[in-house]
């Protein structure tokens, strides 16, 4: 059984998660209450601090969510700190070739499989209570490394990236891919490249993941396309969309209750 399959055992055929972009703990609690399988704390496109990320990881774990973190770059020092803080896995942005993928995988594994340093007195080591052998085993056998493929170079190198030992799956970033190509996200060429990378993942026996907005039907679409995990919406947009809809619907209801406005007696009067 793969690391990915073990991590999501018993959570359904296609695990579904959401991005966490706000510092409020309530975002993670709401995601757990809603029934998501995992959350991705986003350090690439937010101003969240490392301390906030650590708090989100702890809370998600306590609530039964798998806590992943998307890091802003490939620096191994941050990866090590997040994994020692209890992150279940790391999403690495802009991985364009197999050499870069190998470096990301190395950052998540202990020697001889990687370069991650030992921090057994951290949360991941139960603050020193976990036997060293078990701490190392969990780091090498349970942590997930998920490179993001989001450029034409990455899509062309998908097979080689997926062949890297220690890469557990790939996240396919259609939005940045479209930017790289200079095309709208709905362009058939973008869809074709994403589908090709997903096929490469299936051939490698590893899952591919995609992200959509708050569109429930896209989970079924992703499953039909063979993806192994899906990220739907994010806390910021879900809150903003709900607030906007509430405000618009309330004003519309008020206008409908008031009926048509009385005509302005001066509206048709000729200007002297």
């Amino acid at each position: 059984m793969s690391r990915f399959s073990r991590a999501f055992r018993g959570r359904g055929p296609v695990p579904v998660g959401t991005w966490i972009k706000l510092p409020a703990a309530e975002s993670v609690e709401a995601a757990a209450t809603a029934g998501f399988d995992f959350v991705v704390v986003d350090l690439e496109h937010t101003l969240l601090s490392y301390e906030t990320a650590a708090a989100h990881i702890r809370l998600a774990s306590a609530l039964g969510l798998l806590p992943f973190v998307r890091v802003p770059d490939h620096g191994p020092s941050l990866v090590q700190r997040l994994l020692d803080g209890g992150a279940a896995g790391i999403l690495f942005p802009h991985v364009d070739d197999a050499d870069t993928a190998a470096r990301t995988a190395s950052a998540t594994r202990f020697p001889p499989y990687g370069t991650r340093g030992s921090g057994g007195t951290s949360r991941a080591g139960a603050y020193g209570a976990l036997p060293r052998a078990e701490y190392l085993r969990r780091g090498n056998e349970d942590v997930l490394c998920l490179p993001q493929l989001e450029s034409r170079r990455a899509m062309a190198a998908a097979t080689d990236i997926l062949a890297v030992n220690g890469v557990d799956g790939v996240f396919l970033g259609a939005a940045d891919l479209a930017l790289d190509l200079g095309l709208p996200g709905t362009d058939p060429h973008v869809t074709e490249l994403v589908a090709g990378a997903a096929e490469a993942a299936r051939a490698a026996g590893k899952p591919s993941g995609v992200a959509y907005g708050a569109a429930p039907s896209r989970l079924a679409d992703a499953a039909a396309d063979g993806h192994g995990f899906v990220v739907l919406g994010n806390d910021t947009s879900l809150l903003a969309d709900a607030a906007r809809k509430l405000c618009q619907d309330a004003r519309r209801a008020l206008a409908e209750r008031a009926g048509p406005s009385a005509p302005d007696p001066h509206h048709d009067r000729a200007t002297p």
Side-chain angles (χ1 to χ4, degrees):
M1 181 181 292
S2 70
R3 277 185 288 262
F4 186 90
S5 297
R6 285 198 307 272
F8 285 104
R9 185 166 37 201
R11 294 178 183 260
V14 182
V16 58
T18 192
W19 303 104
I20 299 296
K21 296 174 176 286
L22 294 173
E26 287 82 356
S27 287
V28 177
E29 290 180 310
T33 301
F36 286 104
D37 299 304
F38 65 96
V39 292
V40 185
V41 180
D42 189 2
L43 297 184
E44 183 188 14
H45 291 297
T46 71
L47 295 175
L48 293 180
S49 69
Y50 300 157
E51 290 81 3
T52 298
H56 283 340
I57 290 168
R58 288 194 300 271
L59 183 56
S61 299
L63 295 173
L65 295 166
L66 283 179
F68 295 96
V69 181
R70 176 164 66 177
V71 291
D73 52 41
H74 307 154
S77 59
L78 174 58
V79 172
Q80 177 169 296
R81 294 172 68 185
L82 292 168
L83 293 179
D84 276 341
I90 304 294
L91 276 71
F92 292 92
H94 301 290
V95 175
D96 290 333
D97 53 52
D99 288 343
T100 305
R103 289 193 295 273
T104 66
S106 179
T108 66
R109 312 285 180 228
F110 296 115
Y113 309 106
T115 57
R116 178 183 169 189
S118 176
T121 57
S122 64
R123 182 174 179 273
Y127 306 105
L130 194 68
R132 177 178 170 79
E134 178 62 9
Y135 166 71
L136 297 177
R137 185 202 68 77
R138 292 183 184 183
N140 283 333
E141 297 183 12
D142 295 344
V143 166
L144 298 183
C145 173
L146 300 170
Q148 295 186 187
L149 281 54
E150 41 197 346
S151 70
R152 73 188 85 191
R153 281 186 59 207
M155 296 299 168
T159 297
D160 293 338
I161 290 171
L162 284 152
V164 171
N165 186 33
V167 167
D168 298 299
V170 289
F171 178 82
L172 307 178
D176 278 344
L177 173 61
L179 283 176
D180 184 55
L181 295 170
L183 297 172
T186 54
D187 189 278
H189 188 44
V190 175
T191 304
E192 178 184 343
L193 288 177
V194 170
E199 177 57 35
R202 288 193 293 276
K206 298 178 180 180
S208 60
V210 288
Y212 297 113
S217 64
R218 300 313 297 268
L219 177 59
D221 293 341
D225 291 340
H227 296 295
F229 62 102
V230 181
V231 183
L232 291 179
N234 65 78
D235 54 354
T236 305
S237 294
L238 289 170
L239 175 60
D241 290 347
R244 186 163 46 247
K245 184 178 186 304
L246 173 62
C247 189
Q248 291 172 348
D249 289 351
R251 287 178 172 153
R252 186 179 301 112
L254 177 62
E256 290 171 353
R257 180 71 63 88
S261 301
D264 182 350
H266 303 291
H267 179 71
D268 296 324
R269 183 177 298 176
T271 303

